């Protein structure tokens, strides 16, 4: 059986995708259901490495065989950032990467850049699950609906989508119902705003490791268990 491939996307930049992907991959690795690979497809501003204080080969080409070990059962294919324009990366690189990783890992978690490009499209094609991250603000919610429209246009099954609200505040000026209407369906997890996240990134240790009992950690673990984990 190939890897369960999870592609993390959002309709607006800065919603917390990279933070989420890093923490999700860490939680999945903790479950010991097989090795996990986190993939950074942000070839312009890749930031997965920072989440783990890892070194990037800035000029390398992403390759299934050159994953960086981040911890027990946890690996990453980090983004080369010298490329500037992601369009210069040939299409086949990401195709071959995901096809290769899918034979080597139990889970592949793909972090994507803030704007749609052909590599994100490829990662969405490969995905068994598309996690759509938004914040509870009108522009991000509108961006998420536009993203859903795009996915509908290219005939992606809505059943693949899992919506996560990040940086949820108790009072964002919108009720949970209004937000769920805004994202056209149920929200699988409401991840709270966490003031510890900047510190965890600066130390290069995901929050789920720094603060095992933090509400962000608890809710992310529930999401992983109930919505992502394979039996
Ligand atoms: N739950 C949270 N609570 C507090 N701060 C958060 C939370 N999630 C993310 N952040 C912070 O928000 C900022 C954006 O997060 P992140 O880089 O993960 O977003 P992104 O969606 O990957 O952005 P981009 O679209 O630029 O790739 C960062 O400063 C991060 O530390
Ligand atoms: Mg990011």
């Amino acid at each position: 059986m190939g890897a369960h491939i999870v592609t993390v996307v959002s309709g607006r930049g800065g919603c917390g995708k990279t933070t989420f992907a890093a923490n999700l991959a860490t939680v999945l690795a903790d479950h010991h259901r097989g090795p996990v690979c986190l993939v950074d497809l942000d070839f312009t501003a890749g930031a997965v490495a920072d989440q783990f204080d890892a070194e990037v080969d800035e000029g390398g080409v992403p390759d299934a065989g050159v994953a960086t070990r981040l911890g027990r059962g946890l690996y990453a294919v980090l983004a080369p950032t010298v490329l500037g324009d992601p369009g210069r990366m040939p299409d086949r690189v990401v195709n071959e990467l995901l096809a290769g990783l899918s034979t080597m890992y139990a889970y592949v978690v793909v972090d994507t850049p803030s704007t749609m490009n052909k590599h994100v499209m490829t990662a969405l094609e490969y995905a068994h699950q598309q996690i759509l991250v938004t914040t509870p603000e009108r522009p991000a919610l509108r961006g998420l609906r536009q993203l859903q429209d795009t996915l509908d246009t290219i005939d992606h099954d809505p059943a693949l989508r899992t919506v996560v609200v990040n940086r949820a505040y108790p009072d964002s000026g919108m009720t949970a119902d209004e937000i769920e209407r805004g994202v056209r369906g149920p929200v699988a997890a409401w991840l709270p705003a966490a003031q510890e996240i900047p510190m965890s990134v600066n130390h290069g240790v995901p929050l789920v490791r720094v603060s095992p009992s933090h509400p962000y950690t608890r809710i992310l673990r529930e999401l992983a268990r109930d919505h992502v984990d394979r039996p």
Side-chain angles (χ1 to χ4, degrees):
M1 185 167 56
H4 181 69
I5 301 182
V6 181
T7 298
V8 181
V9 280
S10 66
R12 289 284 185 276
C15 285
K17 292 180 297 298
T18 302
T19 309
F20 171 81
N23 280 283
L24 176 66
T26 304
V27 162
L28 291 171
D30 287 349
H31 290 182
H32 308 303
R33 296 243 165 86
V36 179
C37 190
L38 178 57
V39 177
D40 192 348
L41 285 191
D42 192 341
F43 299 138
T44 311
V48 165
D50 294 321
Q51 300 277 334
F52 298 92
D53 198 16
E55 291 291 327
V56 186
D57 175 6
E58 295 192 338
V61 168
D63 181 319
V66 294
T68 303
R69 186 175 184 275
L70 299 175
R72 198 165 159 216
L74 180 59
Y75 299 81
V77 174
L78 302 168
T81 49
V82 290
L83 209 63
D85 174 11
R88 288 169 56 197
M89 180 75 76
D91 295 9
R92 64 170 169 75
V93 171
V94 174
N95 265 295
E96 286 170 11
L97 174 68
L98 295 176
L101 293 176
S102 127
T103 66
M104 300 161 70
Y105 292 88
Y107 299 92
V108 175
V109 177
V110 185
D111 182 35
T112 63
S114 55
T115 48
M116 187 57 76
N117 63 36
K118 61 185 180 179
H119 305 305
V120 178
M121 289 289 185
T122 302
L124 287 164
E125 292 285 344
Y126 272 87
H128 302 104
Q129 183 171 15
Q130 302 165 342
I131 299 193
L132 279 47
V133 180
T134 183
T135 54
E137 290 142 352
R138 236 176 251 287
L141 296 169
R142 191 179 324 116
L144 198 84
R145 287 195 297 278
Q146 289 164 347
L147 174 62
Q148 287 171 319
D149 288 342
T150 305
L151 296 173
D152 289 343
T153 306
I154 52 180
D155 280 340
H156 281 282
D157 184 354
L160 298 181
R161 298 172 207 164
T162 302
V163 175
V164 169
V165 173
N166 184 41
R167 261 195 251 124
Y169 291 94
D171 184 12
S172 67
M174 291 175 91
T175 64
D177 282 353
E178 284 169 335
I179 292 171
E180 290 193 318
R181 275 199 296 279
V183 301
R184 298 180 182 154
V187 170
W190 303 82
L191 290 166
Q195 63 181 24
E196 294 82 350
I197 283 186
M199 192 242 322
S200 93
V201 176
N202 286 333
H203 289 174
V205 184
L207 186 67
V208 294
R209 281 259 186 285
V210 180
S211 302
S213 57
H214 194 285
Y216 182 99
T217 303
R218 189 171 44 74
I219 293 168
L220 193 71
R221 284 195 188 286
E222 284 169 11
L223 174 80
R225 186 194 62 208
D226 298 341
H227 293 274
V228 186
D229 228 344
R230 54 204 291 169

